[in-house]
Amino acid sequence: MKKIFIIGAGQLGSRHLQALKYVKDVLDIYIIDPSIESLNIAKERYDSLELIDNNNVIYMDSIVDINIESNIDLVIIATSSNVRSFVTIELLKKFTVNTIIFEKILFQKKDDYFTIKKLLEINNVKAYVNCPMRMMSFYKDIKPLFKGTKFKYLVSGSQFGLVTNLVHFIDHISFLNEDSEYKTNAGFLDKEIIKSKRDGFYELNGSFQVNFKNGTQGFFHCDSKGNAPIIVQAFNSKVHFISKESEGKILISKAENDWKWEEITFNIPFQSQLTTILVESLFDNNTCLLPTYEESMKIHLPYLDSLLNFVNDNNELKFDHYPFT
């Protein structure tokens, strides 16, 4: 029986748990969170799915009392960024783990990225980061039309959590471009930092730019007011697509079709659907489509360093860490 830990039973953790109910294997699942309320909500969400399963699901408030001698096949770490490195270190002190899926952003302190990288290598742990645009049908299948080209990638919307979501879009550019080296321009961000919904964390609005060495550019804009939906678009000399995720539609035109616009249906899958595919891929093929830890580390650090410098240069509050999640 495959053994899985989910550490962090909040919004994302509970959705990961729901997805495990649909995995074809019978699972031994431990969901761990110090909040009894979060554990109860996760249990309610799992039990609400009208599907008979033979999984063994155990709800715990700590890993301290879990005694397992065999390897843990998969751990999903869905905590906030401020405790994720500590949780990872404590996990690997106590258990032998085959694979870890990290939520993002990864960590708040730059040193932690290198500490955890070394720890994963020492313990021979395969690790991935949950940036799932690479797994989504259209965003995955469009890659051959962008690979090896110089292209523009644009994202716009209102109050969508710019900092939190930047890593997804930069990761997708990196996936299409097959390159993770880029430079940033934070000069068009709004100087005001905004308190996040989560206590102790912050967000930013305005515009942010990334420039890859082959000339590919990403431009991301988040308005501070209004309710404009997120629009994602990219174009080069071969193709132009406009993704209206909130409507479940994509407009696409190609040079080979005289640039005539075609509308296709595209529904963004829920995390409770994606994790099922992810886990079955890991168990069946020992790999998945998510970026590896090392790939994602290279994508995280340039934009987080840029944002930290911008915040510290333009506010009375000064931070020695990335105050984002």
Side-chain angles (χ1 to χ4, degrees):
M1 185 182 291
K2 299 287 188 182
K3 291 182 171 57
I4 298 181
F5 284 6
I6 299 176
I7 304 178
Q11 179 66 18
L12 276 173
S14 65
R15 300 308 180 190
H16 286 301
L17 177 64
Q18 284 184 309
L20 297 183
K21 200 165 191 174
Y22 293 92
V23 173
K24 62 187 178 184
D25 298 281
V26 178
L27 306 173
D28 200 6
I29 305 167
Y30 290 79
I31 181 152
I32 304 139
D33 196 294
S35 168
I36 302 302
E37 181 182 0
S38 293
L39 290 174
N40 288 336
I41 292 172
K43 185 177 188 306
E44 288 174 8
R45 288 178 175 172
Y46 184 83
D47 292 343
S48 70
L49 300 175
E50 295 181 358
L51 179 71
I52 297 174
D53 71 307
N54 295 310
N55 294 336
N56 177 37
V57 185
I58 301 170
Y59 300 85
M60 306 284 292
D61 62 4
S62 170
I63 64 172
V64 172
D65 297 324
I66 302 176
N67 295 306
I68 298 175
E69 294 183 0
S70 59
N71 289 12
I72 311 304
D73 295 284
L74 174 64
V75 178
I76 300 172
I77 302 182
T79 64
S80 298
S81 59
N82 58 335
V83 297
R84 192 171 291 126
S85 61
F86 172 79
V87 165
T88 305
I89 291 167
E90 293 303 302
L91 169 76
L92 295 179
K93 279 182 183 178
K94 186 173 174 63
F95 301 102
T96 300
V97 176
N98 293 342
T99 304
I100 295 177
I101 303 295
F102 291 98
E103 281 296 344
K104 49 76 214 159
I105 60 170
L106 280 165
F107 315 111
Q108 286 197 319
K109 295 184 178 179
K110 188 170 185 174
D111 288 349
D112 287 342
Y113 287 79
F114 299 94
T115 299
I116 298 302
K117 178 179 180 290
K118 185 175 181 180
L119 192 62
L120 294 170
E121 291 170 350
I122 291 171
N123 288 277
N124 196 28
V125 179
K126 295 185 74 171
Y128 303 89
V129 178
N130 192 28
C131 292
M133 288 182 75
R134 296 172 179 232
M135 294 177 60
M136 298 176 186
S137 57
F138 178 84
Y139 291 143
K140 170 171 62 79
D141 296 341
I142 199 69
K143 181 174 180 175
L145 293 174
F146 286 93
K147 181 180 175 181
T149 73
K150 180 172 69 173
F151 59 90
K152 307 292 186 184
Y153 191 104
L154 313 173
V155 179
S156 62
S158 298
Q159 303 188 81
F160 61 80
L162 180 65
V163 176
T164 298
N165 286 287
L166 266 175
V167 68
H168 288 296
F169 302 125
I170 300 173
D171 179 78
H172 191 227
I173 298 174
S174 176
F175 168 73
L176 297 176
N177 207 32
E178 293 193 338
D179 182 19
S180 56
E181 289 186 36
Y182 65 93
K183 294 183 179 180
T184 66
N185 181 355
F188 298 101
L189 288 168
D190 297 346
K191 293 183 178 181
E192 179 187 6
I193 58 172
I194 303 160
K195 288 187 177 180
S196 171
K197 294 177 182 178
R198 295 186 181 184
D199 190 39
F201 299 102
Y202 293 88
E203 260 294 348
L204 292 165
N205 289 310
S207 299
F208 188 79
Q209 186 176 355
V210 296
N211 300 287
F212 286 77
K213 62 182 180 182
N214 76 332
T216 289
Q217 293 180 308
F219 188 82
F220 317 96
H221 179 76
C222 183
D223 282 330
S224 60
K225 297 179 181 179
N227 58 354
I230 295 177
I231 302 293
V232 180
Q233 61 178 310
F235 55 89
N236 59 15
S237 61
K238 299 178 183 179
V239 62
H240 186 170
F241 77 79
I242 302 172
S243 175
K244 300 188 284 186
E245 295 183 356
S246 62
E247 297 180 30
K249 296 176 182 177
I250 287 178
L251 295 173
I252 183 167
S253 66
K254 299 177 182 177
E256 63 184 28
N257 296 327
D258 294 325
W259 296 104
K260 294 176 182 177
W261 286 101
E262 175 189 1
E263 184 177 276
I264 60 177
T265 300
F266 174 58
N267 292 317
I268 299 293
F270 296 118
Q271 189 64 61
S272 55
Q273 298 169 309
L274 287 168
T275 303
T276 306
I277 299 168
L278 170 63
V279 171
E280 290 188 344
S281 176
L282 286 168
F283 289 166
D284 291 345
N285 307 312
N286 199 33
T287 189
C288 69
L289 294 175
L290 295 179
T292 65
Y293 176 89
E294 189 167 353
E295 286 176 317
S296 197
M297 173 178 163
K298 291 177 181 178
I299 292 164
H300 271 73
L301 289 176
Y303 97 86
L304 289 175
D305 281 342
S306 178
L307 295 179
L308 178 61
N309 290 335
F310 178 84
V311 168
N312 284 340
D313 288 345
N314 290 283
N315 288 274
E316 293 182 1
L317 285 174
K318 306 297 179 186
F319 298 93
D320 62 358
H321 63 279
Y322 311 126
F324 317 114
T325 193

